[in-house]
Amino acid sequence: MIQICEELENTARKLIAENGLKAGLAFPTGCSRNHCAAHYTPNAGDKTVFEYDDVVKIDFGTHINGRIIDCAFTHTFNPKYDKLVEAVRDATNTGIRAAGIEFIL
């Protein structure tokens, strides 16, 4: 888990040209498994490794000039969760359409 968070954060820092309070990470990357719905961030030394039956939620964000971007996604390894992921994607897209936003996942 910690390796995924570190890689994502290092990539974000490079892409936004991290610059103190002008541009940087908005919050620690969340990397939650299964029963932990969101906002778990592994600490240094955490040796947790994702397993085949895990449902993984990644939540990260950046800020530039006082504007924040928050991004989250769910990943599964076992195809038994495909219908669940599809149902959640459909629900999200229905909400986006109802809000009048033109971007569909």
Side-chain angles (χ1 to χ4, degrees):
M1 285 175 56
I2 195 78
Q3 184 180 0
I4 290 170
C5 291
E6 288 174 348
E7 183 67 30
L8 200 151
E9 289 177 354
N10 289 337
T11 299
R13 285 182 175 108
K14 289 176 191 170
L15 290 173
I16 62 169
E18 186 174 40
N19 181 16
L21 295 176
K22 292 185 181 248
L25 301 179
F27 49 84
T29 298
C31 193
S32 306
R33 297 172 57 213
N34 305 326
H35 66 280
C36 182
H39 302 135
Y40 176 79
T41 300
N43 291 313
D46 187 330
K47 300 206 184 304
T48 304
V49 175
F50 294 128
E51 297 177 15
Y52 183 69
D53 282 325
D54 286 343
V55 176
V56 180
K57 288 80 63 182
I58 306 291
D59 186 3
F60 65 100
T62 58
H63 71 87
I64 298 175
N65 294 326
R67 293 177 176 88
I68 189 170
I69 297 293
D70 185 352
C71 180
F73 61 91
T74 301
H75 183 76
T76 61
F77 306 96
N78 188 332
K80 76 179 183 181
Y81 296 114
D82 288 353
K83 294 244 184 234
L84 174 64
V85 172
E86 182 182 326
V88 171
R89 184 178 299 115
D90 288 346
T92 299
N93 286 333
T94 297
I96 290 170
R97 276 192 296 278
I101 300 169
E102 297 297 324
F103 178 77
I104 299 297
L105 302 174

